[in-house]
Amino acid sequence: MVAALVRGAFLVNAVYAESAREFGITAQQGQLLCVLMPGPYGMGELGTTLGLAKSSLTGLVDRTERNGLVRRGPDPRDSRAVRIALTRKGAALAERFYAETCRRVERLTAELTDADRDTLAALLGSVVTANKVPVVFHEPDPGIEVRATN
């Protein structure tokens, strides 16, 4: 089981990285964009969600901001803090990246029956929930509105 989980993680990471490369971003930038799709986050929340130290997160946000994909804005609850949000350009890229990455990950299970896919999703969901893994990649929802600010 350990080998299967580790190999599965490597497989999904490789798909994620390949998708990011094709969109001209890094895998970490892709994660950042996906996390921000529902709306702005504070730096502390982002660090926890992405599992990054403050200095690493600052560098990631700096690089992504220079590319015009995110922006820093004031936090209405704390004048000392900032919130990170997608720009219009970032929201558009996030939507395309998200859709393509979902399509590629879905293809990984093409050989499975619908019942096996549902079982796999339920089992992995239980493992993720039991280990309190933060939501980095939201479930596909055609009704979700990607929030951007400019």
Side-chain angles (χ1 to χ4, degrees):
M1 187 211 37
V2 171
L5 282 173
V6 170
R7 290 178 72 196
F10 271 90
L11 177 62
V12 171
N13 284 338
V15 168
Y16 204 86
E18 178 186 333
S19 187
R21 266 192 309 278
E22 289 183 18
F23 281 87
I25 58 177
T26 66
Q28 279 191 320
Q29 286 173 322
Q31 287 178 339
L32 176 63
L33 297 179
C34 288
V35 166
L36 293 172
M37 285 175 72
Y41 273 64
M43 290 292 279
E45 296 169 289
L46 277 176
T48 299
T49 300
L50 295 172
L52 295 175
K54 186 177 180 178
S55 61
S56 298
L57 178 62
T58 299
L60 173 62
V61 170
D62 286 347
R63 289 186 301 279
T64 310
E65 187 175 37
R66 275 195 302 272
N67 290 336
L69 303 175
V70 300
R71 64 176 289 281
R72 288 174 167 91
D75 186 330
R77 295 170 291 176
D78 183 350
S79 61
R80 300 164 298 162
V82 297
R83 295 191 60 78
I84 310 304
L86 294 172
T87 61
R88 284 190 187 100
K89 177 181 174 183
L93 180 63
E95 284 190 69
R96 291 191 320 272
F97 172 75
Y98 177 84
E100 177 59 21
T101 303
C102 283
R103 188 184 65 73
R104 290 173 187 218
V105 172
E106 282 280 333
R107 265 197 332 230
L108 296 177
T109 62
E111 301 290 317
L112 299 178
T113 66
D114 288 344
D116 285 346
R117 236 180 269 120
D118 290 344
T119 300
L120 178 61
L123 291 170
L124 289 174
S126 293
V127 170
V128 166
T129 300
N131 287 281
K132 298 176 177 65
V133 177
V135 176
V136 176
F137 205 81
H138 297 271
E139 285 295 318
D141 181 353
I144 193 170
E145 178 183 337
V146 179
R147 296 186 53 207
T149 62
N150 272 2

